Amino acid sequence: MWGLARRHHGRVLLRIEDHDRGRSRDHFESAILDDLEWLGLEPDEPPIEVLRHGPSPYRQSDRANRYAEVLAGLRHRGLVYPCRCSRRDIADTGAAPPGAEARYPGTCRELGLDSDEAVGLRVIMDPGEETFTDVLLGTHHQTPARQCGDVLVRDRLGQWTYQFAVTVDDWDQEVDLVIRGEDLLSSTGRQIRLARMIGRPDSPTFLHHPLVLRPSGEKLSKANRDTGLAELRQAGVSPETLLGEAAFRGGLLEEARPLEVEELPGLFG
Ligand SMILES: [Zn+2]
């Protein structure tokens, strides 16, 4: 994505998506910054050194006030309601086949629960379709009310959700091209809807790319002890070798060969 953005003379933003502070730790953040510096993929904003030394609007855990402000706007228009359901409650409604996304059936929508308690907050998803054209995958139609139901924006622990935080950030940071893995394709319609609801006049363009998977088809993850960049770096693999391998797997090179960062933009015709 760094190469594609450079090719189109875009600015590359680095955002630390640690809205769920319970799971994110400072050392994960420094590891990501170390990896990017080592690969030579420096963002235009913010400078990595600035991010290392203090609060930043590019770190979601530093943006709680802004999320609260946007949420207040939605509440004022009657589009938000408290929900006390757990994930388990929603799974137990049995609406979704095993492995499919659980749709929230709207259990608490009419209950008028008190939002001072430890409850989640949901935004009402009206029926209706969202249509968008993915750069790689073409035109898609999604109906958030059928896929996921009313979207959770803050959970029962007071943590902002991914769906809400990225929608606010993409707007505030004027992101007009979102490049991400195709595991997030099903979230796109609801993010476009949320963006419109909070007042963003235009939608960003989306590009969903294939993921490198384990042979079993699962995503790579630390929990599965998949090799991370730090291990490869320690094993003496060069940044150029890794970039070349990634470009080859992404279909940008005919065969794997060492690649300099400066060559990346040229791979995107
Ligand atoms: Zn509920």
PDB file of all heavy atoms in Angstrom, residues 81-86 89-90 104-109 111 113 120 122 152 156, ligand 1:
ATOM      1  N   TYR A  81     -28.646   3.679  21.044  1.00  0.00           N
ATOM      2  CA  TYR A  81     -29.331   3.172  22.236  1.00  0.00           C
ATOM      3  C   TYR A  81     -28.420   2.222  23.013  1.00  0.00           C
ATOM      4  O   TYR A  81     -27.520   1.607  22.434  1.00  0.00           O
ATOM      5  CB  TYR A  81     -30.645   2.484  21.859  1.00  0.00           C
ATOM      6  CG  TYR A  81     -30.505   1.231  21.018  1.00  0.00           C
ATOM      7  CD1 TYR A  81     -30.363  -0.031  21.610  1.00  0.00           C
ATOM      8  CD2 TYR A  81     -30.522   1.313  19.624  1.00  0.00           C
ATOM      9  CE1 TYR A  81     -30.251  -1.169  20.834  1.00  0.00           C
ATOM     10  CE2 TYR A  81     -30.408   0.176  18.854  1.00  0.00           C
ATOM     11  CZ  TYR A  81     -30.275  -1.063  19.463  1.00  0.00           C
ATOM     12  OH  TYR A  81     -30.148  -2.191  18.686  1.00  0.00           O
ATOM     13  N   PRO A  82     -28.653   2.129  24.328  1.00  0.00           N
ATOM     14  CA  PRO A  82     -27.844   1.232  25.157  1.00  0.00           C
ATOM     15  C   PRO A  82     -28.230  -0.224  24.929  1.00  0.00           C
ATOM     16  O   PRO A  82     -29.394  -0.529  24.672  1.00  0.00           O
ATOM     17  CB  PRO A  82     -28.189   1.644  26.592  1.00  0.00           C
ATOM     18  CG  PRO A  82     -28.899   2.953  26.486  1.00  0.00           C
ATOM     19  CD  PRO A  82     -29.559   2.960  25.151  1.00  0.00           C
ATOM     20  N   CYS A  83     -27.264  -1.123  25.061  1.00  0.00           N
ATOM     21  CA  CYS A  83     -27.480  -2.560  24.850  1.00  0.00           C
ATOM     22  C   CYS A  83     -26.708  -3.315  25.919  1.00  0.00           C
ATOM     23  O   CYS A  83     -25.526  -3.058  26.132  1.00  0.00           O
ATOM     24  CB  CYS A  83     -26.985  -2.946  23.464  1.00  0.00           C
ATOM     25  SG  CYS A  83     -26.797  -4.721  23.215  1.00  0.00           S
ATOM     26  N   ARG A  84     -27.399  -4.238  26.600  1.00  0.00           N
ATOM     27  CA  ARG A  84     -26.717  -4.966  27.666  1.00  0.00           C
ATOM     28  C   ARG A  84     -26.367  -6.379  27.255  1.00  0.00           C
ATOM     29  O   ARG A  84     -25.962  -7.202  28.092  1.00  0.00           O
ATOM     30  CB  ARG A  84     -27.580  -4.961  28.929  1.00  0.00           C
ATOM     31  CG  ARG A  84     -28.896  -5.701  28.748  1.00  0.00           C
ATOM     32  CD  ARG A  84     -29.760  -5.637  29.990  1.00  0.00           C
ATOM     33  NE  ARG A  84     -31.084  -6.156  29.684  1.00  0.00           N
ATOM     34  CZ  ARG A  84     -32.179  -5.853  30.363  1.00  0.00           C
ATOM     35  NH1 ARG A  84     -32.118  -5.025  31.388  1.00  0.00           N
ATOM     36  NH2 ARG A  84     -33.332  -6.383  30.026  1.00  0.00           N
ATOM     37  N   CYS A  85     -26.545  -6.723  26.008  1.00  0.00           N
ATOM     38  CA  CYS A  85     -26.288  -8.097  25.550  1.00  0.00           C
ATOM     39  C   CYS A  85     -24.793  -8.389  25.497  1.00  0.00           C
ATOM     40  O   CYS A  85     -24.006  -7.540  25.094  1.00  0.00           O
ATOM     41  CB  CYS A  85     -26.873  -8.313  24.166  1.00  0.00           C
ATOM     42  SG  CYS A  85     -28.640  -8.017  24.091  1.00  0.00           S
ATOM     43  N   SER A  86     -24.440  -9.608  25.867  1.00  0.00           N
ATOM     44  CA  SER A  86     -23.059 -10.056  25.701  1.00  0.00           C
ATOM     45  C   SER A  86     -22.950 -10.720  24.330  1.00  0.00           C
ATOM     46  O   SER A  86     -23.950 -11.031  23.694  1.00  0.00           O
ATOM     47  CB  SER A  86     -22.690 -11.058  26.790  1.00  0.00           C
ATOM     48  OG  SER A  86     -23.512 -12.207  26.668  1.00  0.00           O
ATOM     49  N   ASP A  89     -24.901 -13.824  24.475  1.00  0.00           N
ATOM     50  CA  ASP A  89     -26.351 -13.634  24.299  1.00  0.00           C
ATOM     51  C   ASP A  89     -26.705 -13.604  22.810  1.00  0.00           C
ATOM     52  O   ASP A  89     -27.689 -14.198  22.375  1.00  0.00           O
ATOM     53  CB  ASP A  89     -26.810 -12.291  24.903  1.00  0.00           C
ATOM     54  CG  ASP A  89     -26.694 -12.285  26.420  1.00  0.00           C
ATOM     55  OD1 ASP A  89     -26.708 -13.374  27.024  1.00  0.00           O
ATOM     56  OD2 ASP A  89     -26.589 -11.176  26.990  1.00  0.00           O
ATOM     57  N   ILE A  90     -25.869 -12.871  22.050  1.00  0.00           N
ATOM     58  CA  ILE A  90     -26.181 -12.688  20.634  1.00  0.00           C
ATOM     59  C   ILE A  90     -25.974 -13.991  19.874  1.00  0.00           C
ATOM     60  O   ILE A  90     -26.794 -14.387  19.044  1.00  0.00           O
ATOM     61  CB  ILE A  90     -25.332 -11.552  20.047  1.00  0.00           C
ATOM     62  CG1 ILE A  90     -25.721 -10.244  20.749  1.00  0.00           C
ATOM     63  CG2 ILE A  90     -25.534 -11.429  18.549  1.00  0.00           C
ATOM     64  CD1 ILE A  90     -24.751  -9.106  20.533  1.00  0.00           C
ATOM     65  N   TYR A 104     -26.926  -8.958  15.226  1.00  0.00           N
ATOM     66  CA  TYR A 104     -27.597  -8.509  16.436  1.00  0.00           C
ATOM     67  C   TYR A 104     -29.073  -8.278  16.116  1.00  0.00           C
ATOM     68  O   TYR A 104     -29.404  -7.475  15.230  1.00  0.00           O
ATOM     69  CB  TYR A 104     -26.954  -7.229  16.961  1.00  0.00           C
ATOM     70  CG  TYR A 104     -27.654  -6.719  18.185  1.00  0.00           C
ATOM     71  CD1 TYR A 104     -27.639  -7.457  19.361  1.00  0.00           C
ATOM     72  CD2 TYR A 104     -28.370  -5.520  18.165  1.00  0.00           C
ATOM     73  CE1 TYR A 104     -28.312  -7.010  20.481  1.00  0.00           C
ATOM     74  CE2 TYR A 104     -29.035  -5.068  19.279  1.00  0.00           C
ATOM     75  CZ  TYR A 104     -29.000  -5.821  20.437  1.00  0.00           C
ATOM     76  OH  TYR A 104     -29.672  -5.392  21.539  1.00  0.00           O
ATOM     77  N   PRO A 105     -29.981  -8.966  16.817  1.00  0.00           N
ATOM     78  CA  PRO A 105     -31.392  -8.913  16.428  1.00  0.00           C
ATOM     79  C   PRO A 105     -32.150  -7.685  16.933  1.00  0.00           C
ATOM     80  O   PRO A 105     -33.355  -7.568  16.683  1.00  0.00           O
ATOM     81  CB  PRO A 105     -31.964 -10.198  17.045  1.00  0.00           C
ATOM     82  CG  PRO A 105     -31.093 -10.496  18.205  1.00  0.00           C
ATOM     83  CD  PRO A 105     -29.727  -9.942  17.893  1.00  0.00           C
ATOM     84  N   GLY A 106     -31.480  -6.778  17.642  1.00  0.00           N
ATOM     85  CA  GLY A 106     -32.169  -5.560  18.077  1.00  0.00           C
ATOM     86  C   GLY A 106     -32.874  -5.724  19.419  1.00  0.00           C
ATOM     87  O   GLY A 106     -33.776  -4.928  19.754  1.00  0.00           O
ATOM     88  N   THR A 107     -32.445  -6.706  20.208  1.00  0.00           N
ATOM     89  CA  THR A 107     -33.083  -7.037  21.478  1.00  0.00           C
ATOM     90  C   THR A 107     -33.352  -5.817  22.366  1.00  0.00           C
ATOM     91  O   THR A 107     -34.423  -5.694  22.957  1.00  0.00           O
ATOM     92  CB  THR A 107     -32.169  -8.015  22.278  1.00  0.00           C
ATOM     93  OG1 THR A 107     -31.622  -8.970  21.362  1.00  0.00           O
ATOM     94  CG2 THR A 107     -32.925  -8.707  23.385  1.00  0.00           C
ATOM     95  N   CYS A 108     -32.381  -4.912  22.477  1.00  0.00           N
ATOM     96  CA  CYS A 108     -32.480  -3.812  23.450  1.00  0.00           C
ATOM     97  C   CYS A 108     -32.991  -2.505  22.845  1.00  0.00           C
ATOM     98  O   CYS A 108     -33.108  -1.501  23.549  1.00  0.00           O
ATOM     99  CB  CYS A 108     -31.114  -3.559  24.084  1.00  0.00           C
ATOM    100  SG  CYS A 108     -30.432  -5.006  24.910  1.00  0.00           S
ATOM    101  N   ARG A 109     -33.276  -2.513  21.551  1.00  0.00           N
ATOM    102  CA  ARG A 109     -33.592  -1.258  20.866  1.00  0.00           C
ATOM    103  C   ARG A 109     -34.757  -0.504  21.512  1.00  0.00           C
ATOM    104  O   ARG A 109     -34.730   0.709  21.651  1.00  0.00           O
ATOM    105  CB  ARG A 109     -33.898  -1.519  19.396  1.00  0.00           C
ATOM    106  CG  ARG A 109     -33.716  -0.290  18.536  1.00  0.00           C
ATOM    107  CD  ARG A 109     -34.432  -0.422  17.210  1.00  0.00           C
ATOM    108  NE  ARG A 109     -33.551  -0.950  16.159  1.00  0.00           N
ATOM    109  CZ  ARG A 109     -33.774  -0.709  14.860  1.00  0.00           C
ATOM    110  NH1 ARG A 109     -34.788   0.026  14.476  1.00  0.00           N
ATOM    111  NH2 ARG A 109     -32.966  -1.230  13.969  1.00  0.00           N
ATOM    112  N   LEU A 111     -35.952  -1.066  24.643  1.00  0.00           N
ATOM    113  CA  LEU A 111     -36.020  -1.248  26.099  1.00  0.00           C
ATOM    114  C   LEU A 111     -35.806   0.042  26.882  1.00  0.00           C
ATOM    115  O   LEU A 111     -36.134   0.117  28.064  1.00  0.00           O
ATOM    116  CB  LEU A 111     -35.000  -2.298  26.564  1.00  0.00           C
ATOM    117  CG  LEU A 111     -35.243  -3.731  26.085  1.00  0.00           C
ATOM    118  CD1 LEU A 111     -34.224  -4.671  26.716  1.00  0.00           C
ATOM    119  CD2 LEU A 111     -36.663  -4.191  26.413  1.00  0.00           C
ATOM    120  N   LEU A 113     -33.002   1.370  28.021  1.00  0.00           N
ATOM    121  CA  LEU A 113     -32.095   1.115  29.149  1.00  0.00           C
ATOM    122  C   LEU A 113     -31.358   2.393  29.549  1.00  0.00           C
ATOM    123  O   LEU A 113     -31.153   3.291  28.731  1.00  0.00           O
ATOM    124  CB  LEU A 113     -31.071   0.044  28.761  1.00  0.00           C
ATOM    125  CG  LEU A 113     -31.636  -1.337  28.460  1.00  0.00           C
ATOM    126  CD1 LEU A 113     -30.533  -2.243  27.910  1.00  0.00           C
ATOM    127  CD2 LEU A 113     -32.253  -1.942  29.724  1.00  0.00           C
ATOM    128  N   GLY A 120     -23.338  -1.481  26.573  1.00  0.00           N
ATOM    129  CA  GLY A 120     -22.759  -1.094  25.291  1.00  0.00           C
ATOM    130  C   GLY A 120     -23.654  -0.063  24.637  1.00  0.00           C
ATOM    131  O   GLY A 120     -24.762   0.211  25.111  1.00  0.00           O
ATOM    132  N   ARG A 122     -25.219   1.080  20.786  1.00  0.00           N
ATOM    133  CA  ARG A 122     -25.366   0.672  19.384  1.00  0.00           C
ATOM    134  C   ARG A 122     -25.974   1.789  18.550  1.00  0.00           C
ATOM    135  O   ARG A 122     -26.808   2.541  19.033  1.00  0.00           O
ATOM    136  CB  ARG A 122     -26.273  -0.561  19.278  1.00  0.00           C
ATOM    137  CG  ARG A 122     -25.617  -1.805  19.812  1.00  0.00           C
ATOM    138  CD  ARG A 122     -26.451  -3.053  19.569  1.00  0.00           C
ATOM    139  NE  ARG A 122     -25.800  -4.194  20.173  1.00  0.00           N
ATOM    140  CZ  ARG A 122     -24.901  -4.965  19.547  1.00  0.00           C
ATOM    141  NH1 ARG A 122     -24.607  -4.740  18.270  1.00  0.00           N
ATOM    142  NH2 ARG A 122     -24.330  -5.975  20.180  1.00  0.00           N
ATOM    143  N   LEU A 152     -22.416  -2.009  17.066  1.00  0.00           N
ATOM    144  CA  LEU A 152     -21.875  -1.662  18.379  1.00  0.00           C
ATOM    145  C   LEU A 152     -20.772  -0.628  18.204  1.00  0.00           C
ATOM    146  O   LEU A 152     -19.837  -0.842  17.434  1.00  0.00           O
ATOM    147  CB  LEU A 152     -21.307  -2.923  19.050  1.00  0.00           C
ATOM    148  CG  LEU A 152     -20.892  -2.799  20.509  1.00  0.00           C
ATOM    149  CD1 LEU A 152     -22.120  -2.639  21.409  1.00  0.00           C
ATOM    150  CD2 LEU A 152     -20.081  -4.020  20.951  1.00  0.00           C
ATOM    151  N   ARG A 156     -19.350  -2.851  26.508  1.00  0.00           N
ATOM    152  CA  ARG A 156     -19.806  -2.737  27.895  1.00  0.00           C
ATOM    153  C   ARG A 156     -18.697  -2.297  28.845  1.00  0.00           C
ATOM    154  O   ARG A 156     -18.937  -1.904  29.974  1.00  0.00           O
ATOM    155  CB  ARG A 156     -20.403  -4.072  28.354  1.00  0.00           C
ATOM    156  CG  ARG A 156     -21.634  -4.433  27.510  1.00  0.00           C
ATOM    157  CD  ARG A 156     -22.377  -5.606  28.081  1.00  0.00           C
ATOM    158  NE  ARG A 156     -21.555  -6.801  28.097  1.00  0.00           N
ATOM    159  CZ  ARG A 156     -21.856  -7.889  28.764  1.00  0.00           C
ATOM    160  NH1 ARG A 156     -22.947  -7.954  29.494  1.00  0.00           N
ATOM    161  NH2 ARG A 156     -21.062  -8.945  28.707  1.00  0.00           N
TER     162      ARG A 156
HETATM  163 ZN    ZN B   1     -28.843  -5.796  23.506  1.00  0.00          ZN
END
